[in-house]
């Protein structure tokens, strides 16, 4: 398939609009799952750690399965995958309304909805990148705010629907709303050249056809031999029984000499195909070996290794507030009359602001993106340490806003990754980091919930979360100190294909 040059406009802005609304409809409920979390606690009576698995799976499984999602989009295209993901998200939400226990929710809400979100995210990002080149950063920034706006609106919407129709009715209505993803997906027209000639078959595609031709040829020759042989033998056996055996042997020799050229040609082709398959398997094995060698080289990069630890610890400690903040307020005995806005809604709207502001700051030449990212990690750790001291709605709302703004550092994470490993290694490195980010998203809320089940209070849990985020921030800061560059130059040169993040380059 030959793609046209990205138009950087035109139908591309329609793609941006439908991708925004698709992410809004898809991620609204999973990101605002904290409202449902309270209802599931009351409905099933399970522990907080066990119940938290539902929301953590829904938000983490998409990142964990990001390689599979990328393969699906590459194989089938963005439009079919987006439409299929709409069915998955809507179906998972509707099935969750009939959940008899928490284990059913692990599958219906955690895995089905989570995989649908992962597929849709990959499809929207892929097709947006195809339509934009010069304005790609702006387009991606606009569609990424769809999930944050969805968090802001769905937190209040789900609470209102629960009061009016109950938990089951809320999930049915939200699932029905998610069916609008199908309309958004149908508008994701693929950018491809309609007048381009069909691609010529490669050697790999030609070999099976050639094998089929020679296989049929050999089959035809053998059938002809069998027919002639049978007819000739029958005729001779009727006329002269003693000579039947001798003539049969003579006939076989004659016919074998006739077909020897065809069989030799076929054998040669089989040998050629076998050698080709061996070479192809060898090349594939070399690709796998190269991939793992490049992965080892990436982890030899000091800053990348620290970044890997930092993103894992950040998601373990920084993600739980968006899921558990409502329960934190209820545990602090804050009256519902004091609620002016759901705390999760505050996190959602401030995450949108944080993505935009931090993204703009990252574009300034005098701003070092790695130091900016480390600053957000350290501030997040401090804010998590402050949550146990918040005993009123106002203080929890302020901390929710701060945490939401700092969570917007996702918008600058690709910048940091690019500066660390180089643009050539970005896809490989980013895939590894996103996998472990999904692992952190999946583990964070259950760990915090288990701490509550053990201690019957959230203080220890958020001290642990704050420690994780601070540890990741300090490790990344330590790895990025300029003194390491001088030590590295004096000791030895870096291995090939690795990149050193020059921290003081933009300072």
């Amino acid at each position: 398939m030959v793609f046209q040059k990205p138009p950087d406009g035109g139908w591309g802005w329609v793609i941006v609009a439908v991708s925004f609304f698709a992410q809004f409809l898809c991620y609204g409920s999973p990101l605002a799952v904290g409202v449902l979390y309270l209802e599931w606690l009351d409905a099933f009576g399970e522990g907080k750690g066990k119940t938290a698995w539902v929301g953590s799976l829904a938000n983490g499984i998409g990142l964990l399965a990001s390689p599979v999602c990328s393969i699906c989009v590459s194989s089938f295209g963005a439009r079919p995958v987006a439409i299929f993901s709409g069915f998955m998200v809507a179906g998972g939400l509707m099935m969750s309304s009939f959940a008899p226990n928490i284990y059913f929710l692990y599958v219906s809400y955690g895995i089905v909805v989570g995989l649908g979100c992962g597929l849709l995210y990959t499809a929207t990002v892929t097709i947006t990148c195809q339509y934009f080149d010069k304005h790609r950063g702006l387009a991606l920034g606009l569609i990424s705010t769809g999930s944050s706006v969805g968090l802001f609106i769905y937190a209040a919407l789900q609470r209102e629907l629960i009061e009016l129709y109950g938990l089951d009715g809320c999930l049915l209505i939200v699932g029905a709303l998610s069916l609008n993803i199908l309309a958004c997906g149908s508008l994701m027209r693929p950018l491809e050249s309609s007048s381009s000639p069909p691609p010529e078959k490669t050697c790999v595609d030609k070999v099976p056809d050639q094998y089929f031709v020679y296989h049929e040829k050999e089959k035809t020759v053998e059938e002809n031999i069998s027919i002639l042989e049978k007819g000739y033998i029958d005729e001779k056996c009727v006329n002269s029984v003693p000579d039947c055996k001798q003539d049969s042997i003579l006939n076989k020799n004659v016919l074998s000499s006739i077909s020897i050229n065809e069989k030799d040609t076929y054998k040669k082709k089989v040998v050629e195909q076998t050698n080709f398959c061996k070479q192809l398997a060898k090349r594939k094995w070399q690709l796998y070996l190269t991939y793992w060698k490049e992965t080892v080289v990436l982890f030899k990069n000091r800053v990348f290794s620290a970044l890997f630890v930092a993103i894992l610890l950040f998601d373990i400690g920084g993600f739980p507030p968006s899921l558990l903040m409502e329960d934190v307020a209820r545990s602090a005995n804050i009256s519902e009359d004091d609620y002016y806005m759901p705390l999760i809604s505050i996190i959602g709207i401030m995450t949108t602001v944080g993505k935009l502001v931090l993204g703009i700051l990252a574009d300034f030449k005098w701003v070092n993106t790695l130091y900016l990212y480390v600053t957000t990690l350290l501030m997040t750790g401090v804010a998590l340490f402050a949550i146990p001291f918040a005993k009123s709605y106002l203080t929890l709302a302020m901390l929710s806003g701060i945490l939401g703004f700092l969570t917007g550092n996702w918008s600058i994470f690709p910048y940091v990754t690019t500066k660390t490993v180089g643009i050539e290694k970005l896809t490989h490195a980013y895939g590894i980091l996103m996998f472990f980010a999904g692992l952190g998203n999946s583990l964070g809320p259950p760990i915090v919930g288990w701490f509550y089940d053990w201690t019957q209070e959230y203080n220890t849990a958020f001290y642990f979360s704050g420690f994780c985020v601070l540890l990741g921030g300090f490790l990344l800061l330590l790895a990025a100190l300029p003194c390491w560059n001088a030590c590295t130059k004096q000791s030895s040169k870096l291995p090939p294909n690795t990149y050193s993040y020059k921290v003081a380059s933009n300072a």
Side-chain angles (χ1 to χ4, degrees), residues 209-275:
D209 295 338
Q210 295 173 355
Y211 177 80
F212 180 77
V213 170
Y214 284 102
H215 177 71
E216 290 296 325
K217 188 178 290 186
E218 184 210 18
K219 183 179 179 182
T220 304
V221 171
E222 289 181 351
E223 287 177 352
N224 293 336
I225 292 173
S226 178
I227 293 171
L228 292 173
E229 192 178 59
K230 183 178 179 182
Y232 184 80
I233 292 173
D234 290 342
E235 183 180 356
K236 295 296 291 181
C237 287
V238 171
N239 298 329
S240 177
V241 176
D243 297 333
C244 181
K245 185 175 181 181
Q246 182 179 359
D247 290 341
S248 175
I249 296 172
L250 179 61
N251 180 56
K252 286 183 179 180
N253 294 333
V254 172
L255 293 175
S256 298
S257 63
I258 294 173
S259 62
I260 189 168
N261 292 332
E262 293 289 345
K263 290 187 175 181
D264 289 343
T265 304
Y266 167 69
K267 290 179 180 178
K268 290 180 181 179
K269 293 300 180 181
V270 170
V271 172
E272 290 177 2
Q273 184 201 7
T274 303
N275 292 333

Side-chain angles (χ1 to χ4, degrees), residues 114-161:
L115 280 177
C117 291
L119 288 170
L120 183 73
Y121 177 80
T122 306
T124 54
V125 169
T126 300
I127 196 168
T128 302
C129 290
Q130 291 173 1
Y131 269 86
F132 288 90
D133 185 17
K134 294 181 181 178
H135 305 295
R136 184 175 295 169
L138 174 62
L140 291 174
L142 289 174
I143 69 171
S144 67
T145 58
S147 58
S148 301
V149 176
L151 169 59
F152 171 69
I153 294 178
Y154 268 73
L157 176 64
Q158 290 185 145
R159 172 174 288 180
E160 190 66 24
L161 290 175

